Amino acid sequence: MRAVVSVSLNGRAYQLEDDAHAALAEYLDAAGRALMGNPDQAEILADLEQAIADKLQRGLSPHKTVIVRGEIEQVIREMGPVDSDAGNGVPHDGVPPGGTARNGNTGSAGAQSPGTSGAAASKRLYQISDGALISGVCKGIAVYLDVDVTLVRMLFVVATILSGGLAVPVYVIMMFIVPYANTLEEHAAARGLPFNARVLVEQAKLKASQLADRAAQAAMSNHSRAARAQWKAEWRQARAQWRQEWLRGRAQWRAYRWSGAPAAPAAPAPHPSMPPLAHFISEVLGAALGLVAALVTLVWVFALLSLMTTGAVFNWMLPHLPLWAAVLGLIVLFQLVLWPLRAARHAMMPSFHGYPYPWHSLGDGLVVLLLVLFAVWYCIHHGDDLRQSVATLQQNVQPAWHQLLLAWQTLVHGTR
Amino acid sequence: MGDDSKLGALRKGFLEFLVLRIVSGSTVYAADILKKLEATDFATQEGTLYPLLSRLRREGLLDYRWQESDAGPPRKYYRLTAAGRQQLAEFGAYWARLNQTIESLGS
């Protein structure tokens, strides 16, 4: 014998076995919770009850008046979970620029889970591996800044050349620190768009075009495929050739830049006569400058790491600056500091060797690169110790700096 | 792994369009809409459809009137409003444009 519960569904009485009643109550409770905050909550619940009642009616007859748990479970399966978002028509105001904006309600039916819709879309820097050349850092930056990825890559190449390879470790650091955009929501966040139907439509568009592309390729006859392969091979060859030429040109240009003379392998000029004392001084000075440059580089790499991981440079919070701008500023600052050092060092080079030698600048670049790589490695493995020592250093330095500032101010005011 | 969820999310976005289209044909009640969708890729359940219908009504794209049924209690019969018709036309135009874009990109 089982207990029977009488319930009223939208004005009609039904008799349910007690466990059937429990299952139904649970479903309706969940529905009520899902519709929390929906202005039409009561009406939707009434509609749902009505639909359940209609379904239950099927299984009832004059000889069968009580509903069992199995029937309720079947009905609940047919009803499906109540989707709060489809009804939670919070209009997103952030209509993406350049789109064919209809009105505010574009995306209300698109979001997956409560919490992803409604909130203002926030932008984040992600790596995007779709269409990436290496890891997707440039692509992520391009998407973040809403510019063409080619532009970012070109800027990156320019930065690499200008910094003597320093941009490469920066890329590597970002590779490890910047997260990948994996889900649709993250892809949307990378663009700073609300996760809505428009984004999905655009992505579907892309996907469809890719599919069509693939289908077209598959449909191509063997002949045109061969032609395509040949064209590809030719293109690859041309690219390799172009690359070689570019490398050669670059090496020449570098040699020219460092030595101030054309890079044609000129016959080694004889050592200019130089007083031994002057020679010694310039060598010591050059070594000292190199050491200072290495130190600056080390500090810079650590500052970059600290910025990326904690959002602050050596515990100094940056004033409301987006991360990418802070990184850019840091790079520019580093180049500004390093530039006179490097110029001075290069000016001394001929005095070490007596004549300009194009390979020397290459070796120099290699040494700097190795140094930076070592600095990165050191910072990764001993980051915490370094951070602590820098923090204590900062504590010691800041009062001194303040005193210096004070002295300067009194000096300025005193002379006025 | 991503394909299914991507397409699922896409379907969800399109549901509004399809519901407006179904309602534009003739006045229907919720079960009719579900039946029409059932045969398609867009098979939907009450738990999704009812909140959607309620939102569309709140946005003024749909309205309904109660109509007696021969079996059981009166039902809500939905039809498009003028705003709904306009929205549907915009949807349709966008869809046509989208199709064109897809075609032109896939050659």
Side-chain angles (χ1 to χ4, degrees):
Chain A
M1 194 183 75
R2 299 204 65 124
V4 166
V5 183
S6 268
V7 296
S8 158
L9 285 175
N10 214 24
R12 271 180 82 116
Y14 291 85
Q15 293 189 309
L16 279 67
E17 285 188 357
D18 52 1
D19 55 353
H21 170 255
L24 181 59
E26 194 187 327
Y27 177 76
L28 288 175
D29 273 357
R33 274 197 304 278
L35 295 169
M36 198 70 79
N38 188 314
D40 292 333
Q41 184 194 31
E43 189 179 345
I44 296 171
L45 280 177
D47 285 347
L48 289 170
E49 281 187 16
Q50 181 60 54
I52 292 171
D54 283 349
K55 287 180 193 293
L56 290 178
Q57 200 68 44
R58 289 179 318 206
L60 292 178
S61 68
H63 304 293
K64 181 179 179 306
T65 55
V66 174
I67 292 146
V68 298
R69 186 182 176 107
E71 287 172 277
I72 286 287
E73 281 171 348
Q74 170 65 26
V75 166
I76 288 175
R77 265 198 301 280
E78 284 176 26
M79 297 288 294
V82 174
D83 188 339
S84 57
D85 282 308
N88 189 12
V90 180
H92 297 282
D93 351 296
V95 178
T100 50
R102 289 202 323 272
N103 53 35
N105 62 27
T106 14
S108 25
Q112 282 284 4
S113 59
T116 53
S117 81
S122 62
K123 213 170 186 177
R124 281 210 59 189
L125 183 61
Y126 283 103
Q127 294 185 62
I128 292 172
S129 47
D130 236 358
L133 275 188
I134 302 172
S135 177
V137 170
C138 285
K139 171 97 185 188
I141 293 172
V143 163
Y144 185 88
L145 298 177
D146 201 11
V147 294
D148 196 293
V149 64
T150 313
L151 188 72
V152 178
R153 288 191 183 128
M154 272 162 61
L155 281 176
F156 183 76
V157 169
V158 168
T160 309
I161 295 169
L162 286 185
S163 65
L166 267 180
V168 174
V170 172
Y171 189 99
V172 173
I173 292 171
M174 290 180 81
M175 243 170 81
F176 284 109
I177 289 176
V178 179
Y180 276 103
N182 287 322
T183 65
L184 280 173
E185 281 98 322
E186 284 170 356
H187 274 285
R191 289 169 169 78
L193 295 183
F195 178 64
N196 63 16
R198 180 183 305 284
V199 181
L200 296 170
V201 164
E202 309 246 305
Q203 276 166 359
K205 204 160 66 179
L206 196 74
K207 213 169 185 61
S209 74
Q210 282 171 351
L211 279 178
D213 212 24
R214 220 169 293 152
Q217 274 181 25
M220 258 199 291
S221 68
N222 281 339
H223 172 72
S224 60
R225 200 176 296 158
R228 198 184 160 85
Q230 196 192 348
W231 177 82
K232 244 186 184 164
E234 277 171 14
W235 181 73
R236 224 173 265 147
Q237 208 178 353
R239 192 176 57 172
Q241 213 169 4
W242 175 82
R243 193 179 141 78
Q244 262 180 356
E245 272 170 28
W246 181 76
L247 280 176
R248 207 177 307 137
R250 183 177 154 209
Q252 279 181 357
W253 175 78
R254 281 200 129 185
Y256 178 76
R257 186 179 135 208
W258 295 150
S259 62
H271 266 245
S273 55
M274 199 181 201
L277 184 66
H279 188 227
F280 177 74
I281 287 175
S282 73
E283 250 186 68
V284 167
L285 215 61
L289 281 175
L291 213 66
V292 170
L295 221 70
V296 168
T297 307
L298 195 78
V299 168
W300 177 73
V301 168
F302 182 67
L304 208 61
L305 265 175
S306 137
L307 178 69
M308 294 281 203
T309 49
T310 64
V313 179
F314 304 139
N315 301 333
W316 280 310
M317 284 307 288
L318 297 168
H320 301 300
L321 222 59
L323 188 63
W324 64 266
V327 170
L328 208 69
L330 217 55
I331 291 172
V332 169
L333 191 72
F334 174 67
Q335 288 300 319
L336 280 180
V337 171
L338 208 61
W339 176 72
L341 285 175
R342 201 187 285 159
R345 217 147 55 90
H346 285 141
M348 276 172 204
M349 248 162 225
S351 70
F352 298 161
H353 304 277
Y355 54 90
Y357 195 62
W359 291 114
H360 187 95
S361 59
L362 272 182
D364 188 45
L366 209 67
V367 167
V368 170
L369 197 67
L370 283 177
L371 202 78
V372 169
L373 283 179
F374 170 77
V376 170
W377 173 86
Y378 186 85
C379 284
I380 286 171
H381 285 268
H382 305 276
D384 284 338
D385 306 349
L386 211 63
R387 197 174 316 199
Q388 257 176 2
S389 55
V390 167
T392 52
L393 190 77
Q394 184 201 334
Q395 277 166 11
N396 296 334
V397 162
Q398 244 174 355
W401 175 247
H402 269 287
Q403 279 187 341
L404 213 72
L405 269 180
L406 270 175
W408 169 252
Q409 273 169 359
T410 49
L411 195 75
V412 167
H413 287 294
T415 52
R416 207 182 267 165
Chain B
M1 144 218 130
D3 270 30
D4 252 17
S5 69
K6 271 188 198 180
L7 290 181
L10 179 63
R11 271 199 289 275
K12 234 172 158 185
F14 268 112
L15 191 59
E16 178 178 339
F17 178 30
L18 293 188
V19 167
L20 288 180
R21 233 186 118 70
I22 290 171
V23 175
S24 79
S26 58
T27 53
V28 287
Y29 78 109
D32 291 336
I33 300 176
L34 290 174
K35 214 175 293 167
K36 284 204 167 150
L37 288 174
E38 200 180 355
T40 69
D41 261 5
F42 292 83
T44 303
Q45 294 177 302
E46 282 91 340
T48 306
L49 181 68
Y50 283 130
L52 176 62
L53 284 174
S54 135
R55 175 169 63 79
L56 293 177
R57 188 192 57 75
R58 209 163 53 238
E59 288 172 355
L61 305 178
L62 294 179
D63 63 7
Y64 64 80
R65 62 198 158 83
W66 291 100
Q67 199 166 307
E68 294 295 329
S69 69
D70 36 5
R75 292 162 170 167
K76 284 176 180 175
Y77 275 81
Y78 289 90
R79 63 165 181 230
L80 279 189
T81 61
R85 220 165 282 288
Q86 193 195 337
Q87 172 93 72
L88 181 61
E90 280 171 27
F91 261 135
Y94 184 61
W95 176 241
R97 235 180 11 255
L98 196 60
N99 252 330
Q100 226 169 21
T101 312
I102 293 172
E103 287 293 314
S104 68
L105 288 179
S107 59

